[in-house]
């Protein structure tokens, strides 16, 4: 029997991060794995929970609590039934344990912090698909994370229209 793994999934509620979540559920997650849905709020976000957990990120929140609209409001997150449905399906069909964690700050730095703090075996994230010029000017979160994370990182590209 293989050891259960801890898989982080970066979630910003974009179509590509949802595609990454779907991809992980269909191709990576196996029975007994632990999924940590990692959300990074902008540093200027001002929510009550940020004051409590800004330095270390929120506590790990079980899927049952994460599913509640009140949780999203407390942390200033997008309430997205599609994401909850995907997580419910993966939890039910694969027997994966699902928790969520919220950080505040630069997504590049906070995703690396998450990999280290949560001792992730791998991280899955979507790609925004920036063009070459925008990538140079704005920087690419996925490029930064792939280069600096101490674990394997899978970047899932969105489909082209």
């Amino acid at each position: 029997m293989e050891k259960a793994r801890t898989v982080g999934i970066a979630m910003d509620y974009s179509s590509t991060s949802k595609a990454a979540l779907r991809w992980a559920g269909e191709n990576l997650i196996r029975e007994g794995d632990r999924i940590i849905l990692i959300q990074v709020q902008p540093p200027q976000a001002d929510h009550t929970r940020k004051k409590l957990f800004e330095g270390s990120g929120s506590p790990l929140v079980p899927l049952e609590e994460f599913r509640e609209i009140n949780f999203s409001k407390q942390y200033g997150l997008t309430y997205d039934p599609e994401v909850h449905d995907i997580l419910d399906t993966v939890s039910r069909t694969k027997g994966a344990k699902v928790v969520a964690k919220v950080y505040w700050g630069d997504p590049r730095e906070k995703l690396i912090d998450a990999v280290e703090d949560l001792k992730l075996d791998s991280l899955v994230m979507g790609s925004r698909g920036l063009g070459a010029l925008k990538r140079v000017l704005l920087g690419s979160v996925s490029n930064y994370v792939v280069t600096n994370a101490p674990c394997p990182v899978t970047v899932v590209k969105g489909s082209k229209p």
Side-chain angles (χ1 to χ4, degrees):
M1 185 172 163
E2 295 184 55
K3 171 186 165 280
R5 301 165 302 168
T6 301
V7 178
I9 301 175
M11 176 55 61
D12 64 4
Y13 300 97
S14 66
S15 61
T16 56
S17 68
K18 291 177 193 180
L21 175 58
R22 266 190 231 88
W23 182 90
E26 294 167 3
N27 298 289
L28 181 65
I29 303 302
R30 58 184 185 227
E31 188 169 343
D33 283 351
R34 180 177 179 201
I35 298 171
I36 303 178
L37 197 70
I38 302 165
Q39 299 155 94
V40 181
Q41 292 289 83
Q44 66 273 20
D46 188 30
H47 298 283
T48 54
R49 300 294 179 171
K50 176 184 175 187
K51 292 176 179 93
L52 292 170
F53 304 117
E54 186 172 11
S56 62
S58 72
L60 294 174
V61 178
L63 178 60
E64 298 75 28
E65 188 178 332
F66 172 68
R67 197 183 292 127
E68 297 175 11
I69 292 175
N70 193 35
F71 172 83
S72 297
K73 287 180 183 175
Q74 289 175 342
Y75 286 91
L77 303 173
T78 302
Y79 181 81
D80 192 322
E82 181 183 2
V83 169
H84 298 135
D85 288 346
I86 297 167
L87 291 169
D88 284 337
T89 300
V90 172
S91 175
R92 190 176 55 257
T93 61
K94 303 275 179 117
K97 311 279 185 276
V98 179
V99 294
K101 186 162 177 84
V102 181
Y103 290 91
W104 291 267
D106 181 320
R108 292 175 263 264
E109 296 169 8
K110 292 302 177 178
L111 288 171
I112 297 299
D113 289 349
V115 168
E116 295 169 350
D117 296 346
L118 302 170
K119 297 177 181 20
L120 298 180
D121 294 304
S122 67
L123 177 68
V124 180
M125 61 190 305
S127 169
R128 285 194 319 196
L130 296 176
L133 181 59
K134 282 188 179 178
R135 191 170 31 253
V136 169
L137 295 174
L138 300 174
S140 164
V141 173
S142 57
N143 281 351
Y144 183 87
V145 173
V146 165
T147 303
N148 293 286
C151 72
V153 177
T154 302
V155 178
V156 177
K157 288 185 164 191
S159 59
K160 294 193 176 185

